[in-house]
Amino acid sequence: MLDENVRKFYESVQTGVVTDAMYLLGLEGWMTDVFPLRPEKRIFGKAFTVQAVRIREKGEPNYTIYDLSEKWEAGDILVVDAFGENCSLMGENIAHTCMYGGLNGVVLNGRCRDFGQISELEMPVFGKGPAMELKNKRFKYGMYQVTLANMAGAQVRPGDYILGDVDGVLVIPSDRLEDIMYQAEMIIEVENEMEDAIRNRCSVAEVKAIASKKKKARA
């Protein structure tokens, strides 16, 4: 069970702050070109992963999002890797299945149709943009709850935490949530100190001295 203070922190913190904290700890986990359908939307929760695979022959496992709605837990984030294909991976009906199925959000390495309707949903959806073409016939959803080796440039393991806002999406190892939070709290303090210095027209040397505090991990 995730500590409530940790949850509240990640539900409000900017991804840029967490990025700086991850750099300090030598961690990687940034998706490329995956953004919220509406800029004000945020996302945080535990990853439930789905991997698209190229079709080789008939009879291989082929799951639908409807099938998987009986597998995930309330509060999860559905993370779908479909190689960044330009076809639609999701429409309004599937999005409603995700939302009413208790997900905290959806992250697609791909696109969706019914973009306008889905963007208005309370549940946040992140992806690479709109598309009209239906899901590519050359791939299927062949595996779930497996490691996604290249989810828009990031590795995602089942149970990792997903954090996203208008700047993009981060992948946070579940066993490092508190470590990252500890560093991020320091970074927030430094950022506030920098803002005060800039507002008060302090010298460049003073501002740079404050900024340098972010380059060393908190003990």
Side-chain angles (χ1 to χ4, degrees):
M1 181 69 69
L2 187 61
D3 180 86
E4 190 62 22
N5 290 328
V6 175
R7 180 180 300 280
K8 288 180 178 178
F9 176 83
Y10 281 103
E11 286 177 344
S12 61
V13 69
Q14 294 179 345
T15 53
V17 170
V18 177
T19 290
D20 288 348
M22 290 174 65
Y23 274 131
L24 285 177
L25 296 172
L27 297 173
E28 299 280 341
W30 295 272
M31 296 186 193
T32 302
D33 295 331
V34 177
F35 299 105
L37 272 58
R38 289 176 65 91
E40 68 272 20
K41 292 291 188 179
R42 292 180 52 85
I43 199 168
F44 178 67
K46 190 170 57 175
F48 181 97
T49 64
V50 179
Q51 178 66 69
V53 297
R54 297 296 180 189
I55 294 173
R56 290 187 61 179
E57 59 183 88
K58 294 180 180 179
E60 295 174 327
N62 186 9
Y63 303 100
T64 68
I65 301 302
Y66 301 115
D67 296 327
L68 298 175
S69 67
E70 298 180 341
K71 308 291 186 182
W72 64 59
E73 297 179 355
D76 282 353
I77 303 294
L78 182 67
V79 183
V80 181
D81 179 20
F83 328 116
E85 292 273 352
N86 288 325
C87 58
S88 169
L89 306 181
M90 172 179 290
E92 188 176 10
N93 290 335
I94 292 177
H96 282 155
T97 298
C98 294
M99 182 173 71
Y100 297 129
L103 290 177
N104 271 6
V106 176
V107 177
L108 305 171
N109 186 14
R111 298 173 178 269
C112 67
R113 69 176 188 174
D114 303 328
F115 188 95
Q117 294 91 331
I118 293 174
S119 68
E120 296 291 338
L121 296 180
E122 181 178 349
M123 180 194 71
V125 176
F126 284 56
K128 290 183 175 287
M132 295 178 64
E133 181 186 358
L134 296 175
K135 183 164 75 73
N136 193 310
K137 299 298 183 182
R138 294 183 295 112
F139 70 79
K140 61 187 177 181
Y141 296 142
M143 297 179 285
Y144 66 92
Q145 287 299 71
V146 295
T147 296
L148 307 180
N150 187 17
M151 174 67 188
Q155 182 187 126
V156 184
R157 299 177 182 179
D160 283 346
Y161 278 81
I162 303 299
L163 175 66
D165 62 17
V166 68
D167 288 331
V169 181
L170 297 171
V171 182
I172 304 172
S174 60
D175 62 345
R176 303 303 299 273
L177 280 168
E178 294 191 23
D179 294 341
I180 294 169
M181 176 178 163
Y182 182 69
Q183 300 300 329
E185 288 171 335
M186 176 271 291
I187 290 166
I188 291 171
E189 291 178 1
V190 175
E191 290 283 0
N192 290 336
E193 188 179 354
M194 282 185 65
E195 184 63 28
D196 288 341
I198 293 168
R199 184 184 303 112
N200 294 324
R201 304 296 300 275
C202 293
S203 69
V204 172
E206 289 174 296
V207 173
K208 290 173 70 175
I210 295 169
S212 68
K213 296 178 183 180
K214 293 198 302 181
K215 298 179 179 179
K216 184 177 180 180
R218 186 181 181 190

